[in-house]
Amino acid sequence: MPDVFVSEIKNIENKPKKVERHTFHSRNPLASYCYFPDGIRFVAKDSKERIVLFLRKHPITNIGWIIISLLMFSAPMALDRFPILSFLPDNFQFVAVLGWYLITIAFTFESFLNWFFSVYIITDERVFDVDFVNLIYREITEANIDQIQDVTSRMGSVVRTIFNYGDILIQTASEVPRIEFEAVPHPDKVAKILRELRVEEEQEKIEGRVR
Amino acid sequence: MIGISVLLIGKVFALVALGIYIVFALVVVKQVGLMTKTIEVGLEVLIKLIAWAHLAFAVFVFLTAFVIL
């Protein structure tokens, strides 16, 4: 007996997903906006999960600590003009300068690490906010895409408008009611991708393809 | 005699501070290890190298202070 109706669900698996239309794919490990990144491994990711978007704070947000670091590195050169350590013997002055460079290196390195490892990851199933608050404190916040209730993008200053970065506020129905992506590039695009992923997730639920 | 004592106290303070700094540098090495296990993006080797170089520099400054002060 011939089939009257054949479901197309089997073919849906092979269809290119809507969210793959966006650009900004990058292999640069310092990129702050990377769409479908290659070679990124994340401890909380499932084997079948795909990273759709990898975000950090916009590079311009680093300008503050970079300027402070440059000033700190150049400060010992001003000792000739302003000999504030002249009351110390030479050997103590030498060790003081070395100590100053140690503190400067530590400040610079910690600031870089804080930016580099505090990331926001959007996979096809979940949203992650990875924070390294200080030396020993790590916090990973996650929410399922289907638990997202509302996404708001916020751009509020001249600098943010010029460099096109802002905050994304994600309201969720999970235990963590709110996830915030701070100072990420292209907030409108991020919000759009999240919206598309939510639609796709709802479609998967309707079609019974939920993992 | 008093001058020598003040310098000696200064040396002890400097060595204690640098000793604490070495502990801090060790924590940085551990922290970098934790971070690179959490997220791998491709710069892990370089970042670990910087953390170890920072620790080596801290030890070098401690030894230098111990010798010349």
Side-chain angles (χ1 to χ4, degrees):
Chain A
M1 188 177 167
D3 292 329
V4 178
F5 174 75
V6 179
S7 167
E8 291 181 9
I9 287 173
K10 288 173 193 168
N11 299 331
I12 287 169
E13 293 288 334
N14 301 326
K15 276 186 183 175
K17 293 188 173 179
K18 275 184 181 176
V19 289
E20 288 180 15
R21 289 194 309 254
H22 302 269
T23 52
F24 291 103
H25 175 79
S26 171
R27 288 174 186 273
N28 181 1
L30 298 173
S32 57
Y33 183 100
C34 194
Y35 187 66
F36 278 101
D38 295 325
I40 289 180
R41 289 183 194 162
F42 177 51
V43 70
K45 187 174 81 72
D46 291 341
S47 55
K48 287 182 181 176
E49 216 170 350
R50 286 200 309 169
I51 296 176
V52 177
L53 207 52
F54 182 84
L55 301 162
R56 287 191 186 98
K57 284 183 183 172
H58 194 284
I60 201 73
T61 59
N62 294 324
I63 202 81
W65 67 260
I66 289 172
I67 290 172
I68 292 171
S69 299
L70 290 174
L71 289 173
M72 286 174 77
F73 271 110
S74 54
M77 293 169 203
L79 283 176
D80 291 338
R81 276 178 174 269
F82 308 101
I84 52 171
L85 296 177
S86 58
F87 67 96
L88 290 171
D90 285 349
N91 52 355
F92 273 84
Q93 284 188 38
F94 180 66
V95 171
V97 170
L98 284 181
W100 177 260
Y101 278 124
L102 268 181
I103 292 166
T104 306
I105 290 168
F107 170 76
T108 308
F109 192 43
E110 275 298 312
S111 302
F112 171 76
L113 289 179
N114 194 25
W115 172 76
F116 187 77
F117 284 110
S118 293
V119 298
Y120 310 110
I121 296 170
I122 300 171
T123 72
D124 51 357
E125 297 291 327
R126 290 179 287 176
V127 173
F128 295 94
D129 174 3
V130 185
D131 277 326
F132 285 90
V133 180
N134 56 37
L135 270 177
I136 47 173
Y137 185 72
R138 179 188 72 178
E139 187 178 89
I140 301 177
T141 313
E142 66 165 87
N144 288 342
I145 292 284
D146 57 1
Q147 288 176 320
I148 293 174
Q149 292 181 323
D150 184 48
V151 177
T152 312
S153 67
R154 190 172 62 189
M155 266 166 78
S157 70
V158 176
V159 180
R160 285 177 175 230
T161 308
I162 290 170
F163 291 99
N164 191 16
Y165 70 93
D167 302 331
I168 299 283
L169 308 174
I170 303 168
Q171 303 279 352
T172 75
S174 65
E175 283 182 26
V176 184
R178 191 162 118 157
I179 294 177
E180 188 169 351
F181 292 1
E182 287 174 33
V184 292
H186 313 295
D188 296 337
K189 283 196 175 78
V190 176
K192 189 180 177 192
I193 287 170
L194 277 169
R195 194 164 54 241
E196 288 176 359
L197 284 169
R198 280 164 67 198
V199 170
E200 193 179 296
E201 197 67 19
E202 279 172 22
Q203 204 172 341
E204 280 182 3
K205 264 188 179 175
I206 292 166
E207 291 162 359
R209 292 188 291 129
V210 180
R211 259 184 232 156
Chain B
M1 186 67 187
I2 292 170
I4 292 169
S5 299
V6 170
L7 289 180
L8 192 67
I9 291 167
K11 178 177 177 172
V12 171
F13 264 108
L15 289 178
V16 169
L18 290 169
I20 292 169
Y21 192 91
I22 288 174
V23 175
F24 166 75
L26 274 168
V27 173
V28 171
V29 170
K30 291 294 288 180
Q31 177 207 26
V32 165
L34 175 77
M35 286 171 163
T36 51
K37 273 182 194 166
T38 306
I39 304 163
E40 290 180 35
V41 290
L43 276 183
E44 288 72 36
V45 177
L46 180 66
I47 289 173
K48 281 182 182 172
L49 211 67
I50 293 170
W52 281 104
H54 174 239
L55 175 62
F57 186 48
V59 173
F60 165 76
V61 175
F62 179 85
L63 293 176
T64 306
F66 186 74
V67 172
I68 69 169
L69 291 184

